[in-house]
Amino acid sequence: MGTRFGHRKMLIGGELVESESGRWLESVNPANEELIGHVPQCSKADVDRAVAAAKQAAPEWDAIGVKARADLLRELGRRLQERAAEILEVEVADCGSTIGKLRGDVGHAVGALDQFAGLGYEIKGETIPASTNNLHITIRQPYGVVGRIAPFNHPLYFAVGGAAPALMAGNTVVVKPPEQSPLSASILSEICRDLFPRGVVNIVSGFGAETGDAIVRHPDVRRIGFIGSVPSGLAIQRAAAETCVKHVSLELGGKNPMIVFPDVDIDQAVNAAVMGMNFAWQGQSCGSTSRLLLHESLHDEFVGKLKARIDAIRLGDPADEKSQMGPINSKAQYERVLRYIGYGKEDGARLLSGGYRPEDAEFKRGYWVRPTVFADVTPDMRIAREEIFGPVLSVLKWKTLEEALHIANSVEYGLTASIWTNDIKTALRTAKAVQSGYIWINGFSSHYRGTPFGGLKNSGTGREEGIDELLSYTEVKAIHIGI
Ligand code: NAP
């Protein structure tokens, strides 16, 4: 019997193709465990074909110039919008994130295309007064073939948003979508097949350990942009180094602190603590503020209000506009979330809210868990130290700023932080001292396009979403002209 979305194809060298291996990956709806479609499980041979096609297309793609590339990126945005309803239907079923949240993702992808199309003429060099007898200039040139590997939480957005700066800078791309939620990449493949010169965009679905690894190791892929977990990022750095010298940028995980000072409006800060967890996509966000650091003076009142808000979150069918949280993305991720809830209990934290799978009939199948809050968490506990990437919030208590900073900075991660206070000096002192790459003062969760997003410590290397990202897809040459 056929599945809802059928067998879909990927894009290699301008053709929609199956894997040469004949293998297929299954895609499952996490809301009900229904098998909803298949995509090719691409092999190393498929990756080799994709890289060869990208390599062949690269010189001409660079040569067509900024304006022609910008026009094509903007046209890609228009075509994504034309098919937005279809993309939304596929992504909600394939990811489990709520329809309200995922509706924004096509818009974010179009925003990235527009942004980088508009920045094309900024891919420029400098003149440097290094001597009086010569003219010293720099120029920027593309790497050639770029590999982009995406995680499961925003499959279409990360595929498009990640490819946009690489393409704008004159590179061709080989993109690997996540195996858990790969279906929207087949729609992207169809659009790109019709739009771009053959070989400019290649999309290969498959497992990280096989398809992703083949991209990373390929000697003709000198630039890799990766979004995913710390262990995968480390594996990619190691594997990349085995073939040749490569430029690898990594956007990795977070265990992000939200630090609340005694002078805040508690209701506003409670709202931020809930919204900062991104429950609309089950907390599966690298930027979720999953460690809530409360000053002892407001702790008890805060926690009471927080529990009321979390208990009221409406879990349900992600395709229903009224649902505020859907199922966890995959069985493996669901089991991970449950495992960490177990660790929280074992390590002596107090379960304040959730922590279980609801028993109602609509949750009988699928990967459901109530949004969960643990109080009385101490910095040594596993739920305080390790990224869960799910709807689990850990509440910790502090007395002095030094203690708050010590807790905030005590993990391997350094992606985002949210600081809540009305005292500007305290806010800025904290922002300077906290070891995170992206900080909100009296804010949460939002990405502001144009500002550099990325992590310190094990949360990554490189910055995305701003001009730094565009330029990171170029290499600088210095040229000295005798005059
Ligand atoms: P993941 O397991 O690291 O996978 C991310 C992608 O990398 C997937 O496409 C995966 O393939 C592939 N992959 C895994 N191992 C690989 C290897 N050795 N070589 C090449 N490719 C490999 O992460 P995830 O579970 O999908 O996503 C959650 C993680 O992403 C969290 O840690 C989250 O914080 C992080 N994230 C970071 C950001 C950011 O901007 N900093 C944004 C979103 C998510 P499969 O298809 O087989 O999984």
Side-chain angles (χ1 to χ4, degrees):
M1 209 174 68
T3 56
R4 182 166 161 201
F5 298 114
H7 283 69
R8 319 286 289 218
K9 293 186 178 169
M10 291 290 145
L11 181 62
I12 298 179
E15 309 276 336
L16 294 178
V17 294
E18 300 174 5
S19 169
E20 59 75 47
S21 68
R23 292 172 305 167
W24 294 89
L25 273 179
E26 292 186 341
S27 194
V28 166
N29 180 344
N32 55 18
E33 296 172 58
E34 180 197 350
L35 178 63
I36 52 173
H38 291 84
V39 296
Q41 185 184 326
C42 293
S43 64
K44 180 176 178 306
D46 295 318
V47 170
D48 287 346
R49 278 195 299 141
V51 174
K55 188 177 178 187
Q56 196 180 352
E60 203 170 318
W61 177 245
D62 182 30
I64 66 169
V66 164
K67 174 154 187 333
R69 289 200 297 272
D71 287 347
L72 281 168
L73 291 200
R74 291 202 173 97
E75 181 58 25
L76 172 58
R78 273 189 288 278
R79 294 191 189 190
L80 285 170
Q81 269 165 335
E82 272 170 21
R83 293 183 71 175
E86 182 190 351
I87 292 170
L88 186 62
E89 185 194 348
V90 165
E91 287 228 301
V92 170
D94 205 17
C95 302
S97 298
T98 58
I99 188 163
K101 172 59 204 159
L102 283 174
R103 184 171 290 117
D105 276 20
V106 171
H108 293 314
V110 174
L113 289 163
D114 263 350
Q115 178 198 8
F116 288 114
L119 284 173
Y121 292 108
E122 295 302 316
I123 308 170
K124 60 195 182 194
E126 296 174 311
T127 59
I128 300 153
S131 74
T132 48
N133 295 333
N134 302 285
L135 180 62
H136 306 273
I137 64 166
T138 60
I139 58 169
R140 290 184 173 272
Q141 292 182 318
Y143 279 85
V145 183
V146 167
R148 280 290 320 193
I149 299 175
F152 68 75
N153 54 340
H154 303 281
L156 181 94
Y157 168 66
F158 282 135
V160 174
L167 288 169
M168 193 59 230
N171 302 279
T172 54
V173 294
V174 178
V175 176
K176 191 197 93 61
E179 60 90 10
Q180 304 91 333
S181 307
L183 293 177
S184 61
S186 65
I187 301 176
L188 183 62
S189 294
E190 290 165 14
I191 297 174
C192 290
R193 190 259 325 249
D194 296 342
L195 185 59
F196 288 100
R198 176 180 283 268
V200 168
V201 176
N202 303 273
I203 302 178
V204 285
S205 46
F207 288 108
E210 182 183 22
T211 320
D213 186 67
I215 296 172
V216 169
R217 287 176 193 270
H218 201 295
D220 288 333
V221 180
R222 290 280 183 162
R223 173 77 176 90
I224 295 155
F226 175 73
I227 306 179
S229 64
V230 173
S232 304
L234 291 169
I236 284 170
Q237 279 188 324
R238 281 192 296 271
E242 279 179 20
T243 344
C244 56
V245 171
K246 298 185 185 223
H247 177 170
V248 180
S249 58
L250 303 171
E251 287 286 351
L252 307 179
K255 188 76 187 177
N256 309 301
M258 171 170 162
I259 308 175
V260 184
F261 287 85
D263 63 334
V264 298
D265 175 313
I266 289 198
D267 292 324
Q268 263 187 24
V270 167
N271 183 55
V274 176
M275 300 305 291
M277 273 301 292
N278 304 311
F279 288 113
W281 57 116
Q282 299 75 249
Q284 296 165 154
S285 171
C286 55
S288 292
T289 36
S290 55
R291 287 186 300 151
L292 178 58
L293 276 54
L294 298 179
H295 188 262
E296 60 172 4
S297 64
L298 49 64
H299 177 275
D300 294 353
E301 183 185 351
F302 198 111
V303 156
K305 291 186 168 187
L306 179 68
K307 175 174 166 48
R309 283 283 306 270
I310 301 282
D311 285 347
I313 287 176
R314 186 175 171 144
L315 192 66
D317 178 1
D320 181 341
E321 299 279 356
K322 292 192 286 299
S323 295
Q324 294 171 318
M325 185 173 135
I328 306 295
N329 175 271
S330 65
K331 185 163 190 279
Q333 191 61 23
Y334 169 71
E335 286 168 354
R336 177 183 174 87
V337 170
L338 293 187
R339 197 161 60 245
Y340 273 91
I341 290 172
Y343 292 160
K345 293 176 186 164
E346 267 171 43
D347 292 350
R350 173 164 59 96
L351 185 61
L352 191 72
S353 182
Y356 61 90
R357 180 192 178 104
E359 284 175 1
D360 319 48
E362 66 177 304
F363 304 121
K364 247 199 154 38
R365 294 183 65 77
Y367 311 127
W368 300 95
V369 60
R370 282 289 315 165
T372 300
V373 182
F374 280 104
D376 301 341
V377 176
T378 53
D380 53 313
M381 291 180 186
R382 284 168 285 187
I383 56 167
R385 307 196 63 73
E386 295 166 24
E387 184 189 44
I388 303 170
F389 209 60
V392 183
L393 175 61
S394 297
V395 184
L396 299 95
K397 206 191 284 188
W398 58 274
K399 273 191 196 144
T400 63
L401 176 58
E402 288 60 39
E403 192 188 354
L405 287 171
H406 177 73
I407 297 171
N409 293 339
S410 66
V411 295
E412 66 171 307
Y413 306 96
L415 191 56
T416 72
S418 168
I419 298 163
W420 280 77
T421 174
N422 289 313
D423 181 316
I424 186 73
K425 285 188 187 161
T426 304
L428 293 177
R429 233 179 107 195
T430 310
K432 281 183 78 173
V434 79
Q435 292 165 350
S436 302
Y438 203 80
I439 297 171
W440 301 280
I441 294 174
N442 300 330
F444 53 84
S445 198
S446 298
H447 286 219
Y448 296 99
R449 194 146 271 291
T451 65
F453 184 87
L456 308 184
K457 303 198 285 190
N458 276 358
S459 286
T461 162
R463 293 293 177 271
E464 299 203 333
E465 302 178 18
I467 184 132
D468 299 358
E469 184 180 10
L470 178 66
L471 299 181
S472 78
Y473 287 103
T474 64
E475 294 186 288
V476 175
K477 262 185 194 167
I479 303 175
H480 311 281
I481 309 160
I483 53 174

